[in-house]
Amino acid sequence: MFQPPDLSVVEYACCFLGMAMQAVCLAARKTPLKYLLPALVATAPVTVLAASSFTRFLGWDESYIFYDIVNFRSSRLPQWEMGSFRTSITVWGPLFSLVQTLIPFTKDQVLVMAKAAHWLTGVALITLIIDRTYRILSITAERWFFHTVMYNLIVALPVTVCALKTLNYDLLSMLLGVLGCVWLVAGAHPVRKEALFAGIAALTLAAHEKLIASPLLWAGVIFTVVRLVDSKKDSSWLKFAVRNGLWSAMTTAVPLLLVGSSFLFVHLTHGSNGPGIDAGRLFEVFTSGFWPLGRLVSAPLSGRPFFASIDNETVNLLFGYAAVTAMVGLIAGLFPGAVRIGRTVNRRPPALSSVAAAAAWAKLSLLLFLTMTGIIAGYALDVKIWPHVPVLPGNYVPRATFNGIAHHFGSGTLFAHGTASTAWACAVFVNALPTTLLGLLIIACIIPLRAIKKRSPSQYGLPLDMAALLFMTAPLLYGALQIPLYPRYLNLFLLGTIVTVIPGLFTIRLRQFVPTACLAVIGLLLLIGECLPFQPLCAAFRPIWSNYSKECHNDPCFGKVTPWYPGWGEELYAAYRRIRHMEPACCGKVRLFYNFPADVIHPPEKVETFSMPVETGQFEYGYGDCDYYILSRNGVSTYLTIPFPYNRKPVFTISDREFVKAWVFRGRELAGGGFGFGKERLGASP
């Protein structure tokens, strides 16, 4: 259910600073004031929505991840040890540790500052991505107009809103990954090769933050070597091979130096109980990308197992460096080598315009395939969570993945399961895009086709289209590798698709600006209107056309998977806001019990929050007038030991466009109907 934006002083300050970043960027590009002010006004609504309530609550991941930053010196850094959140810990951990040393802030105050810094970093990176994208494009649109359109589309994207408001590894991995790809596209120009190394650095930090960017790092390193090794300069294969090997070695060294510096900095600033440094972990930015493949063959392909049998760290480092360099050099040498062979056989290579046209048609075809397959699969497939819902005898049993779960489709064979999994990945991809944005993507793919044969393609057109193909292929690979998908796991590729495809809208000359501006305003209103019901987090966003049966919307539908998130922790804050205004006047304390990781930041003294399930003796469940149980749809499918009162009527529900995310029960009414939790549980009707 939609609730109007409720901004705190910190959130207002973040909005002001975010708008100031845009103003500085546009002013630095000599944007006249008469255009600068309309641009800021046009981007203000989505900025406010992206900042609304983000300092008031903790979502699913951040309810435990934030400790690695807020309690940097005393924490064992479990996220770092798991191979995630490392870029954020490197940047913010020592800084907030110093702040707490100088000024005795409370934990909640430091947490709010950390979330604000996280949000502002995201807005700064989004502004930088838009600025770099405009610089590499040969378009006639004014910079301020391009900035306004792109900023609104990026910030209004539901996965972007979720990443901005959630203090975890999603934001930096997504934005740095896309920024790195933009820099790599810029490096396609013969005189801008320095941008290649900026792109590799950004992709390294993205993969250091989350393994989702590791495949892009591989692609970036290989692309850089291909660009730097100019096969035209070498008359012999030997010289070509030597140049390829040298550039491969130097390019591979960049990520290792960055990761090594991060490990050393955190090790020195954290203290004696900080994370250790070993050679195997330095290569996790490369090897973590093989995890999905390793899961299928039951081999844990991460950094450490490659070097587990070697005790000497120097030998580990040299062996790993040689192995990665050899793989990069081998793959990077295939493309120029094929070109050299082609020149030997055929002196007339295909025209660049023909290659660019093929890439543009492939981009449109792939987007249409994802769209149509996703829409059909979203309605046709009945997806269940294994092992919560057992696989029927005779059907294919999928391998467990992270969190010990997998999705199954009632398929009888591995091939049928893989096909259904790929189709479901398309459903997740298309359900994460607002309808207006999806329509703009299709139009942006069509527009360049009219002119691509009439003029020579730009220096960046083909690399940008290749990057778009890479981003849009990711859902198909996820599905083929049988990875359980939710929109968050595709955020990098969703944003990358927007940044690489939407510029196609600006390849035509705008003959009349006023009608174009009116269309842009209407599109913005439609975009905001579709996303508004899912505030404050937009994690459970689904397009206007995507709806299931009324029964599925109103009941927990235990074990059923939807192509959108059934909530990501924002349910607790939404319930808290309603309970705060309806609690009986006689209540001394209001106690909120909830069955999923989340929390309210700095609640009033008379409000206490308790996470379920808990160990016996940690606290006692209450069944009074001021005890409320918030049972989320996500938690019901995750924590099997917590019963759900199917035969009890909730006080109210938390829903987004009629899709219920959580049911709120009063303790007295549960106990009166013979229902309870924990050791005093009175009964649980299935």
Side-chain angles (χ1 to χ4, degrees):
M1 184 179 65
F2 169 68
Q3 294 178 333
D6 179 20
L7 273 68
S8 65
V9 174
V10 174
E11 291 158 4
Y12 275 116
C14 286
C15 287
F16 175 79
L17 292 175
M19 302 295 289
M21 291 179 193
Q22 298 179 69
V24 169
C25 179
L26 291 173
R29 304 303 179 192
K30 304 186 184 306
T31 303
L33 186 62
K34 64 178 181 179
Y35 297 132
L36 178 60
L37 292 179
L40 295 179
V41 171
T43 57
V46 295
T47 302
V48 171
L49 292 176
S52 173
S53 304
F54 83 95
T55 61
R56 312 293 187 85
F57 67 92
L58 294 173
W60 193 293
D61 276 348
E62 61 183 337
S63 62
Y64 53 89
I65 285 179
F66 79 92
Y67 285 108
D68 283 21
I69 289 180
V70 176
N71 298 333
F72 174 73
R73 294 299 298 274
S74 59
S75 171
R76 299 291 297 181
L77 303 183
Q79 292 300 314
W80 182 284
E81 295 294 341
M82 292 172 60
S84 63
F85 208 42
R86 288 175 174 174
T87 301
S88 293
I89 292 173
T90 303
V91 173
W92 301 119
L95 176 61
F96 284 107
S97 176
L98 178 62
V99 167
Q100 292 178 85
T101 302
L102 298 176
I103 305 174
F105 288 112
T106 65
K107 184 195 75 172
D108 281 351
Q109 290 172 332
V110 177
L111 177 56
V112 169
M113 288 189 291
K115 295 200 69 171
H118 177 83
W119 191 93
L120 289 171
T121 301
V123 173
L125 288 174
I126 290 171
T127 305
L128 181 59
I129 288 171
I130 298 171
D131 181 70
R132 297 295 94 179
T133 304
Y134 184 87
R135 290 192 64 184
I136 67 174
L137 295 173
S138 300
I139 57 178
T140 58
E142 294 286 347
R143 179 185 290 271
W144 72 271
F145 185 67
F146 179 84
H147 174 93
T148 302
V149 173
M150 292 297 293
Y151 181 88
N152 280 312
L153 294 181
I154 292 174
V155 177
L157 183 67
V159 292
T160 304
V161 175
C162 188
L164 284 169
K165 294 186 177 183
T166 305
L167 181 58
N168 66 356
Y169 34 65
D170 285 338
L171 185 71
L172 291 188
S173 62
M174 175 177 68
L175 296 180
L176 288 173
V178 173
L179 178 61
C181 290
V182 171
W183 264 323
L184 288 173
V185 172
H189 196 285
V191 299
R192 297 197 61 192
K193 293 182 178 179
E194 71 281 355
L196 294 170
F197 291 99
I200 291 177
L203 287 172
T204 300
L205 295 176
H208 200 40
E209 183 81 351
K210 188 179 180 182
L211 63 83
I212 191 176
S214 179
L216 291 182
L217 176 60
W218 275 102
V221 170
I222 293 169
F223 175 76
T224 299
V225 175
V226 171
R227 287 289 301 121
L228 295 176
V229 179
D230 190 352
S231 60
K232 297 179 182 178
K233 294 182 179 180
D234 303 312
S235 57
S236 70
W237 283 96
L238 178 61
K239 291 182 179 180
F240 166 72
V242 171
R243 284 171 56 83
N244 184 69
L246 290 175
W247 279 117
S248 297
M250 287 188 285
T251 306
T252 303
V254 174
L256 298 180
L257 289 174
L258 276 174
V259 172
S261 300
S262 171
F263 267 88
L264 181 61
F265 180 68
V266 171
H267 180 75
L268 294 176
T269 55
H270 188 276
S272 58
N273 63 338
I277 304 176
D278 62 74
R281 303 179 72 181
L282 297 181
F283 293 93
E284 287 179 345
V285 291
F286 287 109
T287 58
S288 61
F290 291 105
W291 166 81
L293 182 62
R295 182 182 65 85
L296 289 182
V297 297
S298 301
L301 298 179
S302 60
R304 191 181 299 272
F306 280 117
F307 314 98
S309 60
I310 305 175
D311 295 330
N312 190 295
E313 290 296 321
T314 303
V315 175
N316 280 342
L317 182 62
L318 294 176
F319 173 74
Y321 180 54
V324 175
T325 299
M327 188 175 295
V328 169
L330 177 62
I331 299 174
L334 293 177
F335 177 75
V339 171
R340 290 170 65 91
I341 294 174
R343 287 178 181 151
T344 303
V345 177
N346 183 5
R347 296 291 180 178
R348 297 183 61 184
L352 184 60
S353 59
S354 300
V355 178
W361 278 105
K363 180 176 67 175
L364 174 61
S365 301
L366 181 55
L367 180 59
L368 291 176
F369 174 81
L370 290 171
T371 302
M372 297 306 298
T373 304
I375 292 174
I376 295 172
Y379 286 103
L381 294 177
D382 185 19
V383 189
K384 302 296 185 182
I385 300 178
W386 178 90
H388 301 353
V389 178
V391 178
L392 295 177
N395 286 346
Y396 174 77
V397 180
R399 294 184 182 273
T401 178
F402 50 84
N403 300 327
I405 66 170
H407 291 169
H408 65 90
F409 310 88
S411 305
T413 64
L414 172 61
F415 177 78
H417 177 84
T419 302
S421 177
T422 304
W424 185 251
C426 297
V428 175
F429 182 88
V430 75
N431 273 271
L433 293 169
T435 308
T436 303
L437 185 50
L438 180 60
L440 288 175
L441 287 171
I442 295 174
I443 295 172
C445 287
I446 295 175
I447 287 177
L449 295 176
R450 299 179 55 192
I452 198 166
K453 291 186 177 180
K454 298 180 181 180
R455 65 173 188 271
S456 60
S458 70
Q459 186 71 41
Y460 304 107
L462 181 58
L464 204 65
D465 283 348
M466 297 304 293
L469 288 171
L470 180 64
F471 286 125
M472 287 191 287
T473 303
L476 303 179
L477 295 177
Y478 266 87
L481 294 172
Q482 304 176 29
I483 299 175
L485 273 187
Y486 288 103
R488 278 183 53 245
Y489 305 152
L490 293 177
N491 55 15
L492 169 57
F493 309 109
L494 288 162
L495 180 60
T497 300
I498 292 171
V499 172
T500 54
V501 173
I502 289 296
L505 293 172
F506 301 91
T507 57
I508 58 174
R509 185 177 298 276
L510 302 177
R511 300 183 182 277
Q512 293 182 322
F513 176 73
V514 174
T516 303
C518 291
L519 288 176
V521 171
I522 294 173
L524 175 60
L525 293 176
L526 291 174
L527 179 63
I528 294 177
E530 191 172 18
C531 298
L532 204 57
F534 302 92
Q535 284 288 324
L537 198 56
C538 288
F541 170 84
R542 70 186 194 280
I544 193 71
W545 50 265
S546 184
N547 298 284
Y548 282 174
S549 66
K550 184 177 180 180
E551 178 185 1
C552 181
H553 280 207
N554 293 330
D555 296 334
C557 292
F558 175 78
K560 181 177 176 58
V561 181
T562 57
W564 58 82
Y565 261 120
W568 197 241
E570 74 278 13
E571 308 97 305
L572 172 62
Y573 178 67
Y576 158 75
R577 288 183 64 181
R578 291 188 61 177
I579 293 172
R580 188 177 56 182
H581 299 294
M582 61 179 286
E583 63 192 52
C586 61
C587 281
K589 276 190 178 293
V590 175
R591 302 201 299 173
L592 308 180
F593 301 88
Y594 47 94
N595 68 336
F596 52 95
D599 209 346
V600 177
I601 299 178
H602 199 63
E605 291 185 3
K606 65 180 304 183
V607 176
E608 292 182 311
T609 58
F610 303 92
S611 179
M612 306 160 59
V614 296
E615 296 179 2
T616 302
Q618 184 172 346
F619 64 76
E620 292 185 0
Y621 291 100
Y623 299 96
D625 286 333
C626 297
D627 297 320
Y628 292 89
Y629 290 84
I630 305 163
L631 304 181
S632 79
R633 183 185 294 265
N634 209 349
V636 169
S637 292
T638 302
Y639 299 111
L640 306 183
T641 58
I642 300 178
F644 187 87
Y646 285 93
N647 296 333
R648 310 295 181 267
K649 184 178 179 180
V651 179
F652 62 87
T653 59
I654 304 298
S655 60
D656 289 340
R657 218 180 70 220
E658 299 182 356
F659 181 77
V660 178
K661 298 187 299 183
W663 295 260
V664 181
F665 300 89
R666 198 190 306 269
R668 175 177 54 81
E669 296 169 359
L670 287 177
F675 189 94
F677 300 92
K679 63 181 181 179
E680 72 283 359
R681 174 180 171 184
L682 303 176
S685 300

